[in-house]
Amino acid sequence: MRRGVLARLVAVGLAAAAVTTAVALFVPWLPTPASKQADRIDFVFWFVTGISIAIFALVAAVILYSVVRFRARPDDDSDGAPIHGNTTLEIVWTAVPAVLVTAVAVVSAVALAQNGHVPKKHMRVNVLAQQFAWSFSYPKYQGLTVSQLRMPIGEAVQLKMHSKDVIHSFWVPEFGQKQDLVPGIETNVVITPKRLGTYPIVCTELCGEGHALMRSEAVVMKPAAFAAWVKEQETLAAKAAQGPAGGGPGLAAFNNNGCSACHTYKPAGSTGTTGPDLDNLPADARRAGKPLVAFVHESIVDPNAYIEKGYQPNIMPSTFKSLPKAQLDALVKFLIQGQK
Ligand code: CUA
């Protein structure tokens, strides 16, 4: 190969590499990682992207050069010179990709193994998914149950995940990992948050009509702020247990069944907006033309019987008809006693 040809190939290749590198770097393809695990996933992405850019540049250079240099002239319809393969070239273009693919496999396997590792010092959080809500409980703090995932920065958190009904999938884009929640088995995922902030939790498995609404938030806090939040929640729970609003078992049923994720209800301190505000139940019952207690009971076990104006049917799970009677009664009592 003449030196001029090589120089032109290299020039075209560098130009192609520059354009693709700019596309890779300046388009925000991935969210900024907020966990150590996301960092490792990003590393795999960039490793593969680097290899892809190099190969694209090489192929683009050879193709562009050949298209220009060997194009057919208007008066030339002769055949090209006969060529009978090139063993060296074939060995090279087989061996190099084999090495690259193996490297990608090894780097991915290492990242996967590291992300699956549960450090000795970690906090456990139980995740329960159901149509169409998330709830998170902290065994370390007497089973404190909330609808928003809160974590102190820098500490590994192991999520042990269960589904009550169908397959859901837990995903926080900034944490990188996705994990299915499958009825009947326990799945888990480890998150070591490294950036303060509030990130969306998304269900990424089509799980029914309310799938698009099955969202929550993951909040990464400073350790001191997290400790203060835990204390505040424990005080709230203790207060609710003694308070006039039925407290104890009713509040527990409210939180454990994910009601707080979708409904605003002052006595429970919840602020969800997916379903109607539960602070105005007597007015809702009047509109439905039913006595309050019967209305509340029916709305839990047969949510589609009456749909509040501005809301859609089939969003609230119809699984609550299987709640144990004691829990159901406590829940109804809790909801009635909190009314003005
Ligand atoms: Cu749960 Cu989609």
Side-chain angles (χ1 to χ4, degrees), residues 168 203 205-207 211 214:
H168 302 274
C203 176
E205 183 73 49
L206 184 58
C207 54
H211 161 69
M214 190 167 165

Side-chain angles (χ1 to χ4, degrees), residues 41-85:
I41 294 172
D42 268 26
F43 177 78
V44 176
F45 263 103
W46 284 111
F47 184 71
V48 175
T49 304
I51 291 173
S52 306
I53 289 175
I55 292 179
F56 176 75
L58 177 70
V59 172
V62 174
I63 287 181
L64 288 176
Y65 178 80
S66 305
V67 164
V68 176
R69 173 72 180 77
F70 301 110
R71 70 187 184 280
R73 315 278 159 177
D75 54 347
D76 178 12
D77 55 0
S78 62
D79 287 340
I83 290 172
H84 186 81

Side-chain angles (χ1 to χ4, degrees), residues 240-257:
Q242 305 155 353
L251 176 69
F254 191 82
N255 284 329
N256 294 340
N257 290 295

